[in-house]
Amino acid sequence: MRGALTIRGPAPVHADGRFAPSPTGTLHLGNLRTALLAWLFARAAGARFLVRLEDLDTGRVRPGIAEGQLADLAGLGLCWDGPVVRQSERHALYAEALVALERAGLIYPCWCTRSEIRAAASAPHGPLPDGAYPGTCRDLPAAELALRQRSGRPTALRVRADGVREAFVDRLCGPVEGVVDDFVVRRSDRAYAYNLAVVVDDAQQEVGEIVRGADLLESTPRQRWLQRTLGLPEPGYAHVPLLLSDDGHRIAKRDATEARGDLAAPQLRGILASGVGLAEPGEAPSLDTLITRMRTLLATEVTA
Ligand code: GLU
């Protein structure tokens, strides 16, 4: 079938999965395709499938969107186990992880503005990738630090990862290697950052296999570093290729309505599954059929 995926080893220790949308916009076809695959990875292995709403960025969360996202998942037949978890109700867990990092001496305050980081990051900085934080506030002299702390200016908190390299084998993308910069774990508005919250939640919810869009692949080395540093289990990863629009652009949540129309669930599943080689174009497969095909695909794992 066209667009068929190749599964690379090794399989995770357990296959409990999840879908974790941010309720900032309606799910588009690419998001739904990722959700379908996350569901199929879990269900084909007879494992749990969880849904978590990543609603920490209160400035971007929009009312009513979460309910629409859950209705879209249910409409496709992607049932989930247990109650839906909301990150906005789990601050205590993130605070605990932050304290552990602070105790280990791995946190420092950062006063850089976005434009300062952009300017500093565009200068060459050894092995750090483009856009990575170059460590401007990492080792401020004590007097300067005290002065800034007295100024009362809001500070972000960053980890001291020092450009360590992380390598892993992604189940869909194959071998991946990345450098970990000193990323933010708590923003200057005191919101816990995505990378911290996602690692804490995936561990606390015992997620074994993380299936999500390939736009998050570059965050994964940071998350793996956090897992190791916090002594948490390391899940498996499968980053789903992004769905591109007809003109080759990445589609955004605001493009959600294109092509979905009033399609019935089997037709919509067919469109989503045919893009990843699990259905023929025009087919309207049942979930059981897709689970059977997914089992076959998982059984034909290749070595990375
Ligand atoms: N909340 C993220 C998003 O909607 C997904 C995070 C994840 O799956 O790790 O893009």
Side-chain angles (χ1 to χ4, degrees):
M1 284 182 203
R2 231 162 34 93
L5 300 172
T6 305
I7 303 290
R8 293 168 198 279
V13 179
H14 74 276
D16 285 351
R18 49 67 156 184
F19 183 62
S22 305
T24 55
T26 308
L27 298 176
H28 59 57
L29 286 179
N31 301 137
L32 291 174
R33 189 171 82 172
T34 299
L36 175 63
L37 268 177
W39 190 89
L40 286 172
F41 263 92
R43 296 308 196 206
R48 291 184 312 151
F49 177 73
L50 311 174
V51 173
R52 181 172 72 232
L53 293 168
E54 302 209 322
D55 57 352
L56 287 180
D57 192 349
T58 47
R60 294 182 59 227
V61 169
R62 289 172 35 213
I65 292 291
E67 292 67 22
Q69 292 178 332
L70 297 178
D72 280 347
L73 297 180
L76 268 177
L78 309 184
C79 52
W80 53 87
D81 298 300
V84 170
V85 160
R86 290 176 186 261
Q87 288 190 324
S88 54
E89 296 168 359
R90 296 161 70 83
H91 288 244
L93 288 171
Y94 314 137
E96 217 177 284
L98 183 57
V99 168
L101 293 168
E102 271 165 346
R103 290 211 176 114
L106 291 170
I107 296 291
Y108 66 86
C110 169
W111 284 267
C112 295
T113 61
R114 266 175 211 274
S115 53
E116 281 165 352
I117 295 172
R118 250 195 317 273
S122 57
H125 284 282
L128 286 180
D130 285 355
Y133 182 67
T136 319
C137 290
R138 187 191 297 137
D139 295 310
L140 292 176
E144 174 67 20
L145 193 61
L147 198 67
R148 291 189 188 204
Q149 269 159 345
R150 275 200 304 274
S151 77
R153 258 175 71 192
T155 55
L157 298 179
R158 290 185 180 273
V159 292
R160 216 173 261 284
D162 275 342
V164 70
R165 295 191 92 77
E166 286 286 333
F168 64 100
V169 178
D170 186 272
R171 302 258 279 154
L172 293 174
C173 301
V176 176
E177 197 179 330
V179 176
V180 183
D181 67 340
D182 287 359
F183 59 94
V184 169
V185 282
R186 204 185 69 193
R187 303 183 338 189
S188 60
D189 62 1
R190 302 185 72 82
Y192 292 101
Y194 159 68
N195 282 309
L196 180 72
V198 82
V199 161
V200 169
D201 282 337
D202 284 330
Q204 199 272 339
Q205 295 187 277
E206 298 181 7
V207 171
E209 175 140 58
I210 295 176
V211 182
R212 61 185 177 195
D215 53 330
L216 292 165
L217 189 59
E218 63 183 35
S219 297
T220 307
R222 293 170 173 162
Q223 294 174 20
R224 288 180 56 85
W225 178 86
L226 265 182
Q227 283 150 2
R228 249 186 326 97
T229 305
L230 291 168
L232 301 174
E234 290 180 10
Y237 287 94
H239 286 88
V240 181
L242 295 185
L243 185 65
L244 301 178
S245 63
D246 292 341
D247 58 3
H249 286 98
R250 197 175 133 178
I251 53 175
K253 285 210 177 90
R254 62 180 170 278
D255 304 323
T257 45
E258 69 16 281
R260 260 164 83 185
D262 291 326
L263 286 176
Q267 273 76 30
L268 183 51
R269 282 197 297 263
I271 291 174
L272 302 173
S274 66
V276 286
L278 287 172
E280 296 294 351
E283 202 189 337
S286 70
L287 284 170
D288 283 343
T289 301
L290 291 176
I291 288 177
T292 306
R293 290 179 188 163
M294 191 68 189
R295 284 204 180 115
T296 309
L297 183 65
L298 291 176
T300 54
E301 174 189 310
V302 301
T303 313

